[in-house]
Amino acid sequence: MTIRPSTALLTDHYELTMLQAALHSGAASRQCVFETFARRLPSGRRYGVLAGVGRVLDAIEGFRFGDAELEHLRAHDVVDVTTLDFLADYRFDGDVWGYAEGETYFPYSPVLVVESDFAHGVILETVVLSILNHDSAVASAASRMTGAAGSRPVIEMGSRRTHDEAAVAAARAAYIAGFSSTSNLEAGRRHGVPTGGTAAHAFTLLHESEREAFEAQVASLGVGTTLLVDTYDVTEGVRTAVEVAGTSLGGVRLDSGDLVVQASEVREQLDALGATETKIVVTSDLDEYAIAALAAAPVDTYGVGTRVVTGSGHPTASMVYKLVAREDDEGRMIGVAKKSKEQSVGGRKYALRRRNPLGVAEAEVLGIGEQPVGDGDDRDLLVRLVEGGEVVGHEHASLEGARARHEASVAELPRSAHQLSQGQPAVETVFLTETP
């Protein structure tokens, strides 16, 4: 059995003070339903992409309070002795349902449903949200980028623009949403994301001349490598690259300037030199809009860094983790909801993707308290992830499975989902019953 590092202190202080107070009042044992959802999509977005489910399952398995964690809580008087005793024996023992990783979602989609007593469910809030908010923000942005790129590959290369651990998670999320590879080696080791890379401007500047740098790179990595040709003069760089590597040169990379114009000029030059199969890779602060603008240019591959790891301007998916149902004094489950400015919808939700006879999604149908009935063309969305505290849904969060699921889920959305202009979610969210 793999021993996972504890995730128990990846949480907010008030999760444990709520637990302490609930243990004191006797309400900690009440059965509850917590749901994770986003009240809205980021401005202009037509859909979201759920990522991080596999990491959430790992976090639940690792949510244990060992001696080190308990001693920290004791030394800093975070909670009382009764709560420390509870935490020493803590193992999540409830059920978790959710959307499978890579699935698209919309406002109020119940992407994760936790069923347990209050004590066991409430303290998972922070770690669940920190994972899903980050990874889904990256995947949602990445999906727009791969959509704009069409059949052209997109490489994730944003490790230097975010936190070290966030970089690993971002590479995984971007791959789920269709990126072809990452520059991050830890993402390759930990998650199996394909990795790649060649050289930066520093390698060229290290040598006495651009030619000397190209000769060194080709001698080491072969003629199939990609040479960075814009350290000095692009036209001269392309000419030198082909002279050094020959017409079988794998690729050239452009990292600055007017990429639309440069790509066209470089393609003409490469073809004139006989390097008709040499690919053109473009980088330099690309996002979905820049990629779309390059659609008519002779570009073969895009490299995206800062904008994908920061969610292309929306670094969080704005998901929340809310108590939506609880056991009353007579043992009945009742819907509960926040009623102030940021309202929630009470009651346990069941989700269905309504599709027309052609398989095109038309609505996110949420039944309160019972599963909506499909008409044969529709698709149930919630799958069991944890049963009685045991993770049973790893197959719904495998990397390649999530990648295939993303492709299929996006493909069933209406055409409006693929527009980059401002607009409403591609499908509406429909509640079948009134809020209790």
Side-chain angles (χ1 to χ4, degrees), residues 255-302:
D255 189 52
S256 58
D258 187 331
L259 296 177
V260 174
V261 173
Q262 280 197 355
S264 297
E265 293 176 346
V266 167
R267 182 74 271 158
E268 290 180 4
Q269 185 181 7
L270 287 170
D271 290 349
L273 293 171
T276 57
E277 300 301 316
T278 298
K279 306 298 184 184
I280 297 176
V281 181
V282 297
T283 53
S284 184
D285 292 327
L286 299 183
D287 61 10
E288 61 266 48
Y289 302 104
I291 291 172
L294 286 161
V299 172
D300 297 288
T301 302
Y302 305 97

Coordinates of all heavy atoms in Angstrom, one line a residue, residues 255-302:
D255 N 9.9 33.3 -31.0 CA 9.5 33.7 -29.6 C 9.2 35.2 -29.4 O 9.1 35.6 -28.3 CB 10.5 33.2 -28.6 CG 10.1 33.3 -27.2 OD1 9.0 32.8 -26.8 OD2 10.8 33.9 -26.4
S256 N 9.2 35.9 -30.5 CA 9.0 37.4 -30.3 C 8.6 38.0 -31.7 O 8.6 37.3 -32.7 CB 10.3 38.1 -29.9 OG 11.4 37.8 -30.8
G257 N 8.1 39.2 -31.6 CA 7.8 40.0 -32.8 C 6.4 39.7 -33.3 O 5.5 39.1 -32.5
D258 N 6.0 40.1 -34.5 CA 4.7 39.9 -35.1 C 4.7 38.5 -35.6 O 5.2 38.2 -36.7 CB 4.5 40.9 -36.2 CG 3.1 40.9 -36.8 OD1 2.5 39.8 -36.7 OD2 2.6 41.9 -37.3
L259 N 4.1 37.6 -34.8 CA 4.2 36.2 -35.2 C 3.4 35.8 -36.4 O 3.8 34.9 -37.2 CB 3.6 35.4 -34.0 CG 4.5 35.5 -32.7 CD1 3.8 34.7 -31.6 CD2 5.9 35.0 -32.9
V260 N 2.4 36.5 -36.7 CA 1.6 36.2 -38.0 C 2.5 36.5 -39.2 O 2.6 35.7 -40.1 CB 0.3 37.1 -38.0 CG1 -0.4 36.9 -39.4 CG2 -0.6 36.7 -36.9
V261 N 3.1 37.7 -39.2 CA 4.0 38.1 -40.3 C 5.2 37.2 -40.4 O 5.6 36.7 -41.4 CB 4.4 39.6 -40.2 CG1 5.4 39.9 -41.3 CG2 3.1 40.5 -40.3
Q262 N 5.8 37.0 -39.2 CA 7.1 36.3 -39.2 C 6.9 34.8 -39.6 O 7.7 34.2 -40.3 CB 7.7 36.3 -37.7 CG 8.4 37.5 -37.4 CD 9.3 37.4 -36.2 OE1 9.3 36.3 -35.6 NE2 10.1 38.4 -35.9
A263 N 5.8 34.2 -39.1 CA 5.5 32.8 -39.5 C 5.4 32.7 -41.0 O 5.9 31.7 -41.6 CB 4.3 32.3 -38.8
S264 N 4.7 33.6 -41.6 CA 4.6 33.5 -43.1 C 5.9 33.7 -43.8 O 6.2 33.0 -44.8 CB 3.6 34.6 -43.6 OG 2.3 34.4 -43.0
E265 N 6.7 34.7 -43.3 CA 8.0 34.9 -44.0 C 8.9 33.7 -43.8 O 9.6 33.3 -44.7 CB 8.6 36.2 -43.4 CG 7.8 37.4 -43.7 CD 8.4 38.7 -43.1 OE1 9.2 38.5 -42.1 OE2 8.1 39.8 -43.5
V266 N 8.9 33.1 -42.6 CA 9.8 32.0 -42.3 C 9.3 30.8 -43.1 O 10.2 30.0 -43.6 CB 9.8 31.7 -40.8 CG1 10.4 30.3 -40.5 CG2 10.5 32.8 -40.0
R267 N 8.0 30.6 -43.3 CA 7.6 29.5 -44.1 C 8.1 29.6 -45.5 O 8.5 28.6 -46.1 CB 6.1 29.4 -44.0 CG 5.4 28.2 -44.8 CD 5.6 26.9 -44.1 NE 6.8 26.2 -44.4 CZ 7.4 25.3 -43.7 NH1 6.9 25.0 -42.5 NH2 8.5 24.7 -44.1
E268 N 7.9 30.8 -46.0 CA 8.4 31.0 -47.4 C 9.9 30.8 -47.5 O 10.4 30.1 -48.5 CB 8.1 32.4 -47.8 CG 6.6 32.7 -48.1 CD 6.3 34.1 -48.5 OE1 7.3 34.9 -48.7 OE2 5.2 34.5 -48.6
Q269 N 10.7 31.2 -46.5 CA 12.1 31.1 -46.5 C 12.5 29.6 -46.4 O 13.4 29.1 -47.2 CB 12.8 31.9 -45.4 CG 14.3 31.8 -45.5 CD 14.9 32.6 -44.3 OE1 14.2 33.1 -43.4 NE2 16.2 32.8 -44.3
L270 N 11.9 28.9 -45.5 CA 12.2 27.5 -45.3 C 11.9 26.7 -46.6 O 12.7 25.8 -47.1 CB 11.3 26.9 -44.2 CG 11.8 27.3 -42.8 CD1 10.7 26.8 -41.8 CD2 13.1 26.7 -42.4
D271 N 10.7 27.0 -47.2 CA 10.4 26.3 -48.5 C 11.4 26.6 -49.6 O 11.7 25.7 -50.3 CB 8.9 26.7 -48.9 CG 7.9 26.1 -48.0 OD1 8.2 25.2 -47.1 OD2 6.7 26.6 -48.1
A272 N 11.8 27.8 -49.6 CA 12.8 28.2 -50.7 C 14.1 27.5 -50.5 O 14.8 27.2 -51.4 CB 12.9 29.7 -50.7
L273 N 14.4 27.2 -49.2 CA 15.7 26.6 -48.9 C 15.6 25.1 -49.0 O 16.6 24.3 -48.8 CB 16.1 26.9 -47.5 CG 16.5 28.4 -47.3 CD1 16.7 28.7 -45.8 CD2 17.8 28.7 -48.0
G274 N 14.4 24.6 -49.3 CA 14.2 23.1 -49.5 C 13.7 22.4 -48.2 O 13.5 21.2 -48.2
A275 N 13.6 23.2 -47.1 CA 13.2 22.6 -45.8 C 11.7 22.6 -45.7 O 11.1 23.2 -44.8 CB 13.8 23.3 -44.6
T276 N 11.0 21.9 -46.6 CA 9.5 22.0 -46.7 C 8.8 21.3 -45.6 O 7.7 21.5 -45.3 CB 9.1 21.4 -48.1 OG1 9.5 20.1 -48.2 CG2 9.6 22.3 -49.2
E277 N 9.5 20.4 -44.9 CA 8.9 19.6 -43.8 C 9.2 20.1 -42.5 O 8.8 19.6 -41.4 CB 9.3 18.1 -43.9 CG 8.9 17.4 -45.2 CD 7.4 17.5 -45.4 OE1 6.6 17.2 -44.4 OE2 6.9 17.8 -46.5
T278 N 10.1 21.2 -42.4 CA 10.5 21.8 -41.1 C 9.3 22.5 -40.5 O 8.6 23.3 -41.2 CB 11.7 22.7 -41.3 OG1 12.8 22.0 -41.8 CG2 12.0 23.4 -40.0
K279 N 9.0 22.2 -39.3 CA 7.9 22.8 -38.6 C 8.2 24.1 -38.0 O 9.3 24.4 -37.7 CB 7.4 21.8 -37.4 CG 7.1 20.4 -37.9 CD 6.0 20.3 -38.9 CE 5.7 18.9 -39.2 NZ 4.6 18.8 -40.3
I280 N 7.1 24.9 -37.8 CA 7.3 26.3 -37.2 C 6.5 26.2 -35.8 O 5.3 26.0 -35.8 CB 6.7 27.4 -38.1 CG1 7.5 27.5 -39.4 CG2 6.8 28.7 -37.3 CD1 7.0 28.5 -40.3
V281 N 7.3 26.5 -34.8 CA 6.7 26.5 -33.4 C 6.7 28.0 -33.0 O 7.7 28.7 -33.1 CB 7.6 25.7 -32.4 CG1 7.0 25.7 -31.0 CG2 7.7 24.2 -32.9
V282 N 5.6 28.5 -32.5 CA 5.5 29.8 -32.0 C 5.2 29.8 -30.5 O 4.4 29.0 -30.0 CB 4.5 30.7 -32.7 CG1 4.9 30.8 -34.2 CG2 3.1 30.1 -32.6
T283 N 5.9 30.8 -29.8 CA 5.6 31.0 -28.4 C 5.4 32.5 -28.1 O 5.0 33.1 -29.0 CB 6.8 30.4 -27.5 OG1 8.0 30.9 -28.0 CG2 6.9 28.9 -27.7
S284 N 5.7 33.0 -27.0 CA 5.6 34.4 -26.6 C 4.2 34.8 -26.2 O 3.4 35.4 -27.0 CB 6.0 35.3 -27.8 OG 6.1 36.6 -27.5
D285 N 3.9 34.6 -24.9 CA 2.7 35.1 -24.2 C 1.4 34.8 -25.0 O 0.6 35.7 -25.1 CB 2.8 36.6 -24.0 CG 3.9 36.9 -23.0 OD1 4.1 36.1 -22.0 OD2 4.5 38.0 -23.1
L286 N 1.3 33.6 -25.5 CA 0.1 33.3 -26.3 C -1.1 33.0 -25.3 O -0.9 32.5 -24.2 CB 0.3 32.0 -27.1 CG 1.4 32.1 -28.2 CD1 1.5 30.8 -29.0 CD2 1.2 33.3 -29.1
D287 N -2.3 33.3 -25.8 CA -3.5 32.8 -25.1 C -4.5 32.4 -26.2 O -4.1 32.3 -27.4 CB -4.1 34.0 -24.3 CG -4.5 35.2 -25.1 OD1 -4.4 35.2 -26.3 OD2 -4.8 36.2 -24.4
E288 N -5.7 32.1 -25.9 CA -6.7 31.6 -26.9 C -6.9 32.6 -28.0 O -7.2 32.2 -29.1 CB -8.0 31.2 -26.2 CG -8.7 32.3 -25.5 CD -8.4 32.4 -24.0 OE1 -7.2 32.3 -23.6 OE2 -9.4 32.5 -23.2
Y289 N -6.9 33.9 -27.6 CA -7.1 34.9 -28.7 C -6.0 35.0 -29.6 O -6.2 35.2 -30.8 CB -7.4 36.3 -28.0 CG -8.6 36.2 -27.0 CD1 -8.4 36.2 -25.6 CD2 -9.9 36.2 -27.5 CE1 -9.4 36.1 -24.8 CE2 -11.0 36.1 -26.6 CZ -10.7 36.1 -25.2 OH -11.8 36.0 -24.4
A290 N -4.8 35.0 -29.1 CA -3.6 35.0 -30.0 C -3.5 33.8 -30.9 O -3.2 33.9 -32.0 CB -2.3 35.1 -29.1
I291 N -3.9 32.6 -30.3 CA -3.9 31.4 -31.1 C -4.9 31.5 -32.2 O -4.7 31.1 -33.3 CB -4.2 30.2 -30.2 CG1 -3.0 30.0 -29.2 CG2 -4.5 28.9 -31.0 CD1 -3.2 28.9 -28.2
A292 N -6.1 32.0 -31.9 CA -7.1 32.2 -32.9 C -6.7 33.1 -34.0 O -7.0 32.9 -35.2 CB -8.4 32.7 -32.3
A293 N -5.9 34.2 -33.6 CA -5.4 35.1 -34.6 C -4.4 34.5 -35.5 O -4.2 35.0 -36.6 CB -4.8 36.4 -33.9
L294 N -3.7 33.4 -35.1 CA -2.7 32.8 -35.9 C -3.3 31.6 -36.7 O -2.5 30.9 -37.3 CB -1.6 32.2 -34.9 CG -0.7 33.3 -34.3 CD1 0.0 32.7 -33.1 CD2 0.3 33.7 -35.4
A295 N -4.6 31.5 -36.7 CA -5.2 30.3 -37.4 C -4.9 30.3 -38.8 O -4.7 29.2 -39.4 CB -6.7 30.4 -37.2
A296 N -4.8 31.4 -39.5 CA -4.5 31.4 -40.9 C -3.0 31.4 -41.2 O -2.6 31.3 -42.4 CB -5.1 32.6 -41.6
A297 N -2.2 31.6 -40.2 CA -0.7 31.6 -40.4 C -0.2 30.2 -40.5 O -0.8 29.2 -39.9 CB -0.1 32.3 -39.2
P298 N 1.0 30.0 -41.2 CA 1.5 28.7 -41.3 C 2.3 28.2 -40.1 O 3.5 27.9 -40.1 CB 2.5 28.8 -42.5 CG 2.9 30.3 -42.4 CD 1.7 31.0 -41.9
V299 N 1.5 28.1 -39.0 CA 2.1 27.6 -37.7 C 1.8 26.2 -37.5 O 0.7 25.7 -37.8 CB 1.5 28.5 -36.6 CG1 1.9 27.9 -35.2 CG2 2.0 29.9 -36.7
D300 N 2.7 25.4 -37.0 CA 2.5 24.0 -36.8 C 2.2 23.7 -35.3 O 1.5 22.7 -35.0 CB 3.7 23.2 -37.3 CG 3.9 23.4 -38.8 OD1 3.1 22.8 -39.5 OD2 4.9 24.1 -39.1
T301 N 2.8 24.4 -34.4 CA 2.7 24.1 -33.0 C 2.7 25.4 -32.2 O 3.5 26.3 -32.5 CB 3.8 23.2 -32.5 OG1 3.8 22.0 -33.2 CG2 3.7 22.8 -31.0
Y302 N 1.9 25.4 -31.1 CA 1.9 26.6 -30.2 C 2.5 26.2 -28.9 O 2.3 25.1 -28.4 CB 0.5 27.1 -30.0 CG -0.3 27.4 -31.2 CD1 -1.2 26.5 -31.8 CD2 -0.2 28.6 -31.8 CE1 -1.9 26.8 -32.9 CE2 -0.9 28.9 -33.0 CZ -1.7 28.0 -33.5 OH -2.4 28.3 -34.7

